[in-house]
Amino acid sequence: MSVAAYCIFCCRQIGTSGPATKHHPSWNNIKRFSTFDGEDHECALWLLLKRTQSEDKEVRLQAVQELAKNTHWHDYQYGTVAQTCDQRTAIGLARSKDIDLRFFLPPPSLPKMKNDCLIEDELRLLLVSLPQSGLDPCVKYFTSLALRESSQTLAAQRGGLWCFGGNGLPYCETLSKVPSETVELFCLQALVQHSKVSSHCDKIEAHGGLQLLQKIYQLRKDSAKIQRNIIRIIGNMALDERLHSSIVRAGWVSVLAEVMKSPHVIQSSHASRALANLDRDTVQEKYPDGVYVLHPQYRSSQPIRADILFVHGLLGAAFKTWRQQDIDQPVDKKASEVQEEYSQCWPKTWLASDCPTLRIISVEYDTRLSDWKAKCPVETSIAYRSNELLEKLRAAGIGERPLVWVSHSMGGLLVKKMLVDASKNPEMDKIVNNTRGIIFYSVPHHGSQLAEYSISARYLLFPSVEVKELSKDSPALKVLNDEFLSFAKDKKFTVLSFAETLPTHIGSMLKLHVVPLESAKLGIGELIPVDVNHLNICKPKKKDAFLYQRTLKFIQDVLATDLGE
């Protein structure tokens, strides 16, 4: 078979609607092959593309891996792959480490906007098109807030009526000066909530939401927060496999592949989650909103032998809680050198390097110190959080492998509650039975003084449900601790606890031991006091610091059999 004939044959096999024609995107490439003398490497590309369509999963995965590794292609060959590969292959390439972005078609061109058409208009119309009744309180709250603020801002921008007393943004008197970015964020936060509801995702897609979000993403290159919210929405919509084709057609694979290369852990992890939810060829689990895989974020042939799950506490987050302790810049070092050494998230960098066969997951959930700063008007107790997170963790496959829990502050109480709840639910037996160990960083097993200072600090005048539950010698905490200890001893959980010994500044008015030593005593396992405050108890100064090395040793010891060490 001639080279030209072989290439046309391959083109038919890789999913084109018929023989290659002058109108087919790859016609120029095929013409180039037809005049070529027939060297083997020119047809290797087409052979690989054909193999990516194989019904044999191992064959196509290997083909995608080989495509991703090749760095000797010409520009037109990268273009050929971008134009002819199917969505499964494109997603696989996007989840390949150090992938060349020339493998992907750029997002569709943005349509020209009418002079009188604003992004806020389009976002508001999209929100109005979504179901408005029977909503979860959080969805309803954010939607009404976004619609109210966007309407009032538009009215001010167009010379409409002034707004009065408490009905608009906090700075309503200067509404005409409110940045568009602020209003867009209100709307996007509402869309984040809607995207957690599967049926609403269908409506977002049906009303052109994927294209609108792409437009905003491209126009707001200067706003990491806006882009992060958009990718979060895409990650939620990707939980529904029926929407995958629409997501790919709207140009999101190339965007996600690019963001995966971001040096900022939050941005790259949001993109990683979205791509993992799209990748049904190699990922069995699904990652709901707030569940992030820190490692591995790319496709890997290395087997995963165990899971490590990180759970933050009050006002914490999936990434910032676990950053390296902030360090002063040495006089003899350049800022760039210090930045390169600094870890934005030590589980993702240090732990992944030391234990590459672990899947490292960090969860994020909204917490607050005061109802003055409520993000959502729902009383989010520890019991509520436990039920919510357990369902998400089951979807992410937690319990299918040996498991170690790592928690900070109130996150440790949440871990105990989840394990107690899972022990009472036969469907969640695996989570309990596969737990190998638990690490507690300054967890207030017997309460904290924080709740007792509500009169002393303005923002604690109305402490949230979560803070109230932390009251010293709280009956609820005692019941939880007794329940946990009872079955933890029976299951012979291995436990390591760290306790702070230095006070922490709470705002500008308070300085206290958030979790005193006696409250950090669980009653089982080893307790180690460390000369740090409450915030830094989970933030090692450097990789060879005691806090990290002791944590690493614990993980390696309890998983020694599972990791084959």
Side-chain angles (χ1 to χ4, degrees), residues 367-432:
T367 64
R368 57 188 188 274
L369 285 175
S370 167
D371 284 336
W372 279 32
K373 294 189 173 184
K375 290 186 178 180
C376 178
V378 175
E379 291 196 349
T380 50
S381 63
I382 292 175
Y384 175 90
R385 291 297 183 202
S386 173
N387 291 329
E388 179 186 49
L389 276 179
L390 276 174
E391 289 301 323
K392 290 184 176 184
L393 294 177
R394 280 185 67 198
I398 292 295
E400 298 299 322
R401 302 183 184 93
L403 173 64
V404 175
W405 304 75
V406 183
S407 60
H408 175 236
S409 190
M410 192 194 77
L413 303 179
L414 183 53
V415 167
K416 292 198 300 182
K417 181 61 176 171
M418 283 192 283
L419 284 168
V420 167
D421 289 347
S423 70
K424 299 174 182 178
N425 186 344
E427 294 182 358
M428 297 188 179
D429 274 349
K430 289 181 179 179
I431 291 179
V432 175

Side-chain angles (χ1 to χ4, degrees), residues 171-344:
Y171 28 81
C172 199
E173 65 275 8
T174 58
L175 199 53
S176 61
K177 298 179 182 178
V178 174
S180 296
E181 179 180 342
T182 303
V183 182
E184 288 168 25
L185 275 171
F186 270 107
C187 294
L188 289 172
Q189 286 169 356
L191 282 174
V192 166
Q193 300 300 322
H194 279 282
S195 68
K196 296 179 185 179
V197 185
S198 179
S199 59
H200 292 207
C201 290
D202 292 336
K203 298 287 193 303
I204 292 173
E205 189 274 334
H207 289 88
L210 288 168
Q211 291 75 22
L212 173 59
L213 292 173
Q214 183 71 256
K215 181 196 299 185
I216 300 170
Y217 187 92
Q218 300 302 329
L219 292 174
R220 289 298 187 187
K221 292 284 190 181
D222 57 335
S223 175
K225 188 177 290 187
I226 280 183
Q227 293 198 329
R228 188 161 60 244
N229 272 285
I230 290 174
I231 293 178
R232 185 177 172 188
I233 294 168
I234 300 302
N236 290 344
M237 294 181 70
L239 289 167
D240 189 340
E241 294 182 41
R242 296 172 305 160
L243 299 178
H244 285 190
S245 294
S246 298
I247 291 172
V248 173
R249 284 197 303 270
W252 285 107
V253 173
S254 62
V255 171
L256 297 173
E258 181 178 8
V259 180
M260 282 279 281
K261 294 176 176 287
S262 171
H264 303 290
V265 63
I266 302 180
Q267 306 294 98
S268 62
S269 295
H270 274 279
S272 171
R273 169 182 167 257
L275 282 171
N277 284 337
L278 287 170
D279 187 6
R280 296 298 91 195
D281 226 16
T282 64
V283 182
Q284 294 181 342
E285 306 87 358
K286 291 187 177 182
Y287 299 101
D289 190 75
V291 180
Y292 301 97
V293 179
L294 302 179
H295 174 80
Q297 292 192 331
Y298 297 96
R299 281 187 176 183
S300 173
S301 57
Q302 192 167 48
I304 300 300
R305 303 192 182 280
D307 289 335
I308 307 291
L309 182 63
F310 286 81
V311 184
H312 67 78
L314 275 174
L315 300 184
F319 311 103
K320 73 174 185 179
T321 292
W322 312 107
R323 69 183 185 272
Q324 181 180 349
Q325 185 176 330
D326 297 332
I327 52 177
D328 295 328
Q329 180 179 331
V331 178
D332 59 341
K333 283 201 174 186
K334 297 179 181 178
S336 59
E337 293 175 347
V338 175
Q339 183 65 28
E340 187 176 335
E341 295 173 1
Y342 181 81
S343 175
Q344 300 174 51

